[in-house]
Amino acid sequence: MKIYRLDKGIILVGKAWEIRTKLKEYSYLYGTVYEWINDENKATLKNTSPFHLKNHK
């Protein structure tokens, strides 16, 4: 699975189940894709449990 963060969008490349899982993980950090794109941190998640993210929001 690959994630490309651009200035005006995000491109996810992978199998459908991988993309769905990754989007669910990011949904715990960001309410909208706009917030995800404009996050100044620009870090990507690597092997992070969505439950871990939800508890530390």
Side-chain angles (χ1 to χ4, degrees):
M1 159 119 220
K2 294 182 182 181
I3 301 173
Y4 300 100
R5 295 185 63 177
L6 308 173
D7 290 335
K8 295 186 179 184
I10 298 171
I11 298 173
L12 301 168
V13 179
K15 295 181 179 178
W17 67 268
E18 293 173 319
I19 293 172
R20 280 193 302 267
T21 302
K22 194 56 67 175
L23 287 172
K24 188 170 187 173
E25 289 178 18
Y26 276 105
S27 73
Y28 289 105
L29 290 175
Y30 305 104
T32 64
V33 175
Y34 179 80
E35 292 173 359
W36 185 10
I37 294 169
N38 292 312
D39 182 15
E40 291 182 15
N41 188 6
K42 300 286 185 187
T44 57
L45 300 176
K46 292 184 179 178
N47 299 325
T48 306
S49 167
F51 302 106
H52 171 75
L53 296 174
K54 188 173 184 180
N55 292 333
H56 290 92
K57 187 170 180 182

